[in-house]
Amino acid sequence: MAPIVTGRSLDFISHSVAQTQRIGERLGRLLQGGDLICLEGELGTGKTCLVQGIGRGLGIASAIASPTFIIASEYPVPNHRYKFYHIDLYRIETVAEARAAGLEDYFYGDGICVIEWAERVRELLPEERLWITLHYIGDTKRALLFKPQGKRYEELLQRFRAKAFGSQ
Amino acid sequence: MVLVLGLETSCDETAAAVVADGREILSNVVASQIELHRRYGGVFPEIASRQHILDIVPVIEEALAQAKVGWDSLDALAVTAGPGLVGSLLVGVNVAKGIAWARGLPLIGVNHLEAHLYANWLIPPNDTRHAVQKEQIPPPQFPLICLIVSGGHSDLVLMTGHGQYRVLGRTLDDAAGEAFDKVARLLGLGYPGGPAIQAAAENGNPCRFSLPRAMLERGYDFSFSGLKTAVLRIVQRYASGGKERGQARYRLFSSPTASAQRQLPLADLAASFQAAVVDVLVKKTKRAAEEFQVKEVLLAGGVASNKLLRQRMSAQINVPVRYPPPILCTDNAAMVAAAGYFKHMAGERSSWDLDVRPGMALK
């Protein structure tokens, strides 16, 4: 299945949980401190699954489970001083609530931050980010659309595309 | 008689309790924040910690008054140090340090999961059913398997002695209680999800919908994310009026509309979901009980209040299955005091630099 590629974004169909995790893992290997990844997609589209892969790509050994209950989980990143933050806004519905919870510190920090349900706090987020939208297509199929905003993320996506799918 | 004051503020309940000899509850006070958090469909951290600050002192005073004990009668102070919400944990731990320092009491930091497990050592309050003396209810016998299931955890633990744990498995994605909360929200049933789904499932047909049971054959880990997604697909199918799924594929689903709810066989879907969760929990616990040849199985955590889970466990497992009454399954401080008592007797102490550990695991 060849990915549909435009200059600025990447569209990909995953056929399994394992494939979504592998895609996350490949992306995770390219991330660095300060990176922000925003995930948008309904329940059951594979957001947490993708994050598990990203964690694996960063070399995080501990299992990454859903942080819905505690909203933000943090993990040390091996060989780096920054941390990996996994944030789940499932239970946060407004920008005011996110502000009250002190979540901006994560968005603008020096760690790697992945946010599930990021669309709920769009106006709080830095302009530059990688936005990934996940859609349900079939029982085992999910569409993933990667959209970079800013130079860092355009380069990141180019490298990711080359690593994950070979050059065009 | 050794008296331990327990404090618990790991999540949305501010609680204090006095327990004698690790088993007898002299008082058990809980200021619940459920009403406050209902509109968020779960616990909202910043609000939780602010409320703990307001409630903690009155709750402690009430616990001492109900137990009819003064500060000088206490032997130790136990407090939940993790896992939980960082802001919430900080309130309990700092109050505990202040009191322990001022009163010269030993300070004992307790793991919240361990505390849930020790709820099974407590003599159930007002146990008029048996009307027996506390001496006649024997404590749990080792080795044992404990299933801890709550909003934030699903852990299967082998316990070979006091403080001797081995975590056999835990959830790889959603906790069991989290699955109940998310599905309750999908079905428009409100928060907390466990009791809401149990009530909705009362007269439902658990075989109406065939839902996935992630057995993950090789180990004792759990996964409830796929089950949640399967329920979502069914709700969407009904919401789209039974149209082909393809037509609804990109539809964003937030909450079921009134008309969708009318068509949705709510009781059957709730019952089918509940049966799927219980099935997996029972099968894995039973397998662990057999593999490790334990003397008892304990249930702990909020989901341990689920009636179907209790019935199935007791019916399908060949060793005695013990579970606390619902009031001791949800977060409370009596369980913290009980866990603290056994640590106190083993000579364990926390130092003044005791810190909160939001991601603390059971060891």
Side-chain angles (χ1 to χ4, degrees):
Chain A
M1 180 80 204
I4 301 161
V5 177
T6 70
R8 300 286 300 279
S9 66
L10 189 154
D11 199 339
F12 170 78
I13 291 176
S14 167
H15 294 261
S16 68
V17 167
Q19 198 174 10
T20 301
Q21 285 176 337
R22 280 200 301 274
I23 279 296
E25 188 173 348
R26 290 195 165 119
L27 178 63
R29 283 190 206 134
L30 302 175
L31 295 181
Q32 59 191 42
D35 280 348
L36 177 67
I37 313 293
C38 301
L39 307 185
E40 175 178 7
E42 295 177 61
L43 273 182
T45 48
K47 296 182 297 299
T48 300
C49 182
L50 187 70
V51 181
Q52 287 171 336
I54 291 174
R56 212 187 286 163
L58 288 168
I60 293 165
S62 55
I64 292 179
S66 165
T68 298
F69 192 68
I70 57 172
I71 297 184
S73 299
E74 55 176 73
Y75 304 85
V77 180
N79 307 319
H80 291 284
R81 297 185 67 172
Y82 51 79
K83 287 186 169 171
F84 174 58
Y85 301 105
H86 180 194
I87 294 169
D88 184 342
L89 304 180
Y90 172 75
R91 297 197 285 103
I92 291 194
E93 281 165 3
T94 67
V95 165
E97 287 165 18
R99 276 217 179 92
L103 292 173
E104 283 162 293
D105 293 351
Y106 293 112
F107 307 158
Y108 292 86
D110 56 3
I112 295 172
C113 185
V114 178
I115 310 170
E116 298 192 35
W117 302 98
E119 70 276 16
R120 295 182 177 183
V121 294
R122 207 182 288 264
E123 60 193 275
L124 283 188
L125 298 170
E127 294 267 304
E128 301 210 343
R129 63 218 180 190
L130 177 61
W131 197 278
I132 306 176
T133 311
L134 298 96
H135 288 294
Y136 170 86
I137 296 183
D139 280 343
T140 58
K141 277 194 212 171
R142 303 288 186 272
L144 284 76
L145 175 66
F146 296 72
K147 271 185 140 169
Q149 279 169 257
K151 194 156 170 274
R152 155 73 190 146
Y153 297 98
E154 282 172 24
E155 284 170 11
L156 172 69
L157 198 64
Q158 262 174 17
R159 291 181 54 211
F160 171 65
R161 181 162 48 210
K163 288 264 192 233
F165 308 106
S167 58
Q168 294 181 52
Chain B
M1 199 163 69
V2 176
L3 295 183
V4 178
L5 171 66
L7 301 182
E8 153 68 36
T9 63
S10 69
C11 188
D12 59 344
E13 316 279 19
T14 318
V18 180
V19 170
D21 296 331
R23 301 201 65 203
E24 191 188 345
I25 301 171
L26 301 188
S27 66
N28 186 22
V29 180
V30 180
S32 179
Q33 301 185 2
I34 285 188
E35 280 307 321
L36 262 178
H37 296 286
R38 210 180 281 277
R39 60 173 286 241
Y40 297 105
V43 184
F44 190 65
E46 185 60 22
I47 289 173
S49 52
R50 281 181 210 163
Q51 196 61 38
H52 284 306
I53 292 172
L54 297 176
D55 289 340
I56 186 81
V57 172
V59 163
I60 293 171
E61 284 172 342
E62 181 67 20
L64 291 176
Q66 282 185 17
K68 299 191 179 65
V69 299
W71 291 106
D72 295 329
S73 324
L74 296 174
D75 295 285
L77 205 159
V79 62
T80 306
L85 304 169
V86 60
S88 296
L89 290 165
L90 276 168
V91 177
V93 166
N94 284 305
V95 167
K97 278 187 194 175
I99 294 173
W101 176 264
R103 308 297 319 186
L105 289 170
L107 173 71
I108 302 164
V110 169
N111 181 311
H112 182 70
L113 297 174
E114 190 174 17
H116 269 305
L117 206 153
Y118 271 98
N120 284 288
W121 266 260
L122 293 165
I123 314 273
N126 308 322
D127 199 342
T128 48
R129 220 174 8 151
H130 305 299
V132 288
Q133 295 298 309
K134 60 175 177 173
E135 290 76 17
Q136 289 171 269
I137 303 173
Q141 301 297 305
F142 302 115
L144 56 84
I145 289 285
C146 186
L147 175 70
I148 307 169
V149 269
S150 67
H153 307 279
S154 303
D155 286 28
L156 194 59
V157 181
L158 172 67
M159 197 176 173
T160 49
H162 287 298
Q164 306 288 309
Y165 310 105
R166 183 172 146 204
V167 178
L168 302 175
R170 52 169 58 114
T171 185
L172 299 177
D173 38 56
D174 297 357
E178 179 181 345
F180 270 99
D181 284 341
K182 283 184 171 167
V183 166
R185 190 153 156 180
L186 280 176
L187 300 180
L189 292 174
Y191 172 84
I197 284 183
Q198 177 170 292
E202 196 78 40
N203 296 308
N205 171 11
C207 304
R208 167 85 177 263
F209 296 97
S210 159
L211 294 170
R213 284 147 170 82
M215 295 311 289
L216 308 164
E217 281 304 340
R218 280 166 298 174
Y220 290 111
D221 287 334
F222 300 102
S223 164
F224 295 107
S225 178
L227 173 58
K228 162 198 77 190
T229 306
V231 173
L232 171 68
R233 299 301 160 221
I234 291 167
V235 174
Q236 285 175 323
R237 211 164 62 216
Y238 278 92
S240 66
K243 276 178 271 177
E244 280 307 300
R245 207 163 29 198
Q247 290 173 292
R249 82 167 55 142
Y250 285 125
R251 167 195 191 101
L252 277 176
F253 193 87
S254 51
S255 67
T257 61
S259 67
Q261 275 180 322
R262 265 201 299 280
Q263 298 161 13
L264 190 72
L266 200 62
D268 292 349
L269 189 49
S272 301
F273 164 77
Q274 181 176 249
V277 175
V278 167
D279 243 20
V280 175
L281 294 175
V282 172
K283 284 212 174 89
K284 297 223 166 196
T285 307
K286 180 177 163 68
R287 184 150 57 84
E290 287 164 2
E291 183 182 339
F292 296 96
Q293 303 186 346
V294 297
K295 295 206 175 101
E296 268 188 62
V297 166
L298 312 183
L299 306 182
V303 181
S305 308
N306 184 275
K307 284 186 210 148
L308 186 71
L309 180 68
R310 294 171 165 216
Q311 285 165 7
R312 289 282 168 82
M313 284 281 183
S314 301
Q316 295 185 21
I317 290 178
N318 297 326
V319 294
V321 175
R322 187 190 295 242
Y323 40 80
I327 191 161
L328 297 177
C329 283
T330 45
D331 290 352
N332 65 84
M335 65 184 196
V336 178
Y341 166 82
F342 288 100
K343 284 178 178 290
H344 179 61
M345 298 315 277
E348 278 187 51
R349 300 284 181 275
S350 297
S351 57
W352 295 118
D353 63 0
L354 173 68
D355 201 1
V356 299
R357 294 177 57 196
M360 193 175 190
L362 200 56
K363 281 211 180 83

